[in-house]
């Protein structure tokens, strides 16, 4: 399954919210849809789901205009939308039936997902008796009850403690492995890096960067090296080792940090010579790696200012 967004334009009154947005997501993969508040993420998601139409452009599934009768969506919104005073099991069964399941299948699916999320005991409880994190898990269950083809998760880790976040990670991995098309939107960049091979960054209603995250990172200069030694004054030891080897000219800057040192090289292809100089001086190098920017750094660079 290939979901394509092609040249989408959307305005509300005089304000153009989306300007020629194009992206694609393959089944069995997750796309990280990123942007600051107001960048156009939610509008893009709603157009993909058919909540309202675009002014121009098209949404395609396997090369054909997407049809609500031919594909199912599971949407986890950032804002909770379940009924706080209703019994959890009753409302989940109701929602599953709205999505086409029989009562028997809906009940079975609810029990399955509550069990998968470690929430079997809450079937008869009201939603407002649960913690914020457990309410988020119930919201996730409501998203997946009908086994959707396309899953859209907007800030799914909101309110989750580390144990429940780990459980949600497992569920997301299972969805990707099962061939689902997953769109993942979050300001928690570490989670996006963990799940998403591809990203699209929105800024001011335009996509300012998209593609494979690994390839994007490899496109940045590879002239900064992180070095960690097993003990001692690392900065002094590294500086002395480079001088003794006649390699100090290969490093333009040496930046000590709390547990390591960053070397700025004159030429990224000279890193092998730098490592040889350190090893030749008898230093016990615990870590020697090329520093690539984190997704958070890339995001700040591309979306730090409004377009």
């Amino acid at each position: 399954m290939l979901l394509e967004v092609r040249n989408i334009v959307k305005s509300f009154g005089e304000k153009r919210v989306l300007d020629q947005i194009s992206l694609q997501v393959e089944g069995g993969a997750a796309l990280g849809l990123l942007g600051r508040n107001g960048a156009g993420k939610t509008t893009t998601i709603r157009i993909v789901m058919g909540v309202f139409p675009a002014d121009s452009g098209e949404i395609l599934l396997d090369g054909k205009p997407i049809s609500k009768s031919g594909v199912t969506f599971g949407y986890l919104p950032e804002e909770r939308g379940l009924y706080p005073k209703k019994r959890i099991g009753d409302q989940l069964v109701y929602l599953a039936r709205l999505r086409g399941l029989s009562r028997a299948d809906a009940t079975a699916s609810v029990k399955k997902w509550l069990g998968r999320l470690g929430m079997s005991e809450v079937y008869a409880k009201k939603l407002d008796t649960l913690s914020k994190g457990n309410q988020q898990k119930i919201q996730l269950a409501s998203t997946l009850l009908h086994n959707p083809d396309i899953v859209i998760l907007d800030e799914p880790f909101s309110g989750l403690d580390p144990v429940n976040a780990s459980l949600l990670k497992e569920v997301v991995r299972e969805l990707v492995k099962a061939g689902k098309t997953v769109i993942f939107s979050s300001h928690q960049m570490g989670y996006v890096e963990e799940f998403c091979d591809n990203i699209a960054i929105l800024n001011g209603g335009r996509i300012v960067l998209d593609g494979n995250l690994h390839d994007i990172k490899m496109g940045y200069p590879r002239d900064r090296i992180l070095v960690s030694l097993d003990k001692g004054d690392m900065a002094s030891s590294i500086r002395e080792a480079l001088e003794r080897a006649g390699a100090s000219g290969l490093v333009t800057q040496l930046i000590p940090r709390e547990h390591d040192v960053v070397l700025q090289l004159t030429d990224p292809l000279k890193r092998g010579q730098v490592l040889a100089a350190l090893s030749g001086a008898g230093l016990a190098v615990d870590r020697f790696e090329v520093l690539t920017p984190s997704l958070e750094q890339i995001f700040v660079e591309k979306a730090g200012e409004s377009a």
Side-chain angles (χ1 to χ4, degrees), residues 21-82:
I21 295 294
S22 295
L23 54 86
Q24 61 181 39
V25 199
E26 293 188 36
L31 171 75
L33 183 62
L34 310 175
R36 298 171 64 185
N37 294 333
K41 302 187 302 298
T42 300
T43 301
T44 301
I45 287 170
R46 288 174 177 170
I47 289 173
V48 168
M49 294 177 61
V51 175
F52 48 66
D55 297 336
S56 62
E58 53 188 350
I59 309 295
L60 304 176
L61 190 64
D62 291 332
K64 300 177 181 178
I66 195 167
S67 167
K68 288 185 179 181
S69 62
V71 65
T72 53
F73 287 92
Y75 177 42
L76 175 68
E78 183 176 3
E79 305 83 8
R80 290 175 177 81
L82 299 179

Side-chain angles (χ1 to χ4, degrees), residues 197-244:
D197 291 328
N198 300 299
I199 63 165
I201 297 178
L202 281 164
N203 190 17
R206 302 183 184 92
I207 290 183
V208 293
L209 181 69
D210 70 318
N212 180 272
L213 180 56
H214 174 78
D215 292 343
I216 290 170
K217 288 187 173 187
M218 292 303 102
Y220 280 78
R222 299 173 57 78
D223 56 359
R224 298 173 75 237
I225 303 295
L226 183 146
V227 180
S228 178
L229 308 179
D230 65 344
K231 59 183 178 180
D233 184 338
M234 287 185 284
S236 296
S237 298
I238 291 170
R239 189 176 289 108
E240 291 171 4
L242 293 173
E243 290 174 354
R244 287 200 302 270

Side-chain angles (χ1 to χ4, degrees), residues 243-286:
E243 290 174 354
R244 287 200 302 270
S248 57
L250 301 179
V251 176
T252 61
Q253 193 175 14
L254 190 150
I255 307 166
R257 305 197 306 190
E258 186 175 0
H259 301 295
D260 49 49
V261 177
V262 175
L263 307 181
Q264 179 73 51
L265 307 185
T266 58
D267 182 347
L269 299 180
K270 302 294 186 181
R271 57 182 178 268
Q273 296 179 35
V274 172
L275 177 59
L278 301 182
S279 300
L283 298 183
V285 179
D286 283 344

Side-chain angles (χ1 to χ4, degrees), residues 289-304:
E289 67 180 65
V290 176
L291 271 183
T292 55
S294 67
L295 178 55
E296 182 173 352
Q297 291 169 323
I298 294 171
F299 178 81
V300 169
E301 175 189 323
K302 297 297 182 179

Side-chain angles (χ1 to χ4, degrees), residues 170-181:
E170 292 177 12
V171 171
V172 174
R173 291 190 185 98
E174 290 168 4
L175 293 171
V176 172
K177 188 175 181 180
K180 305 296 184 184
T181 298

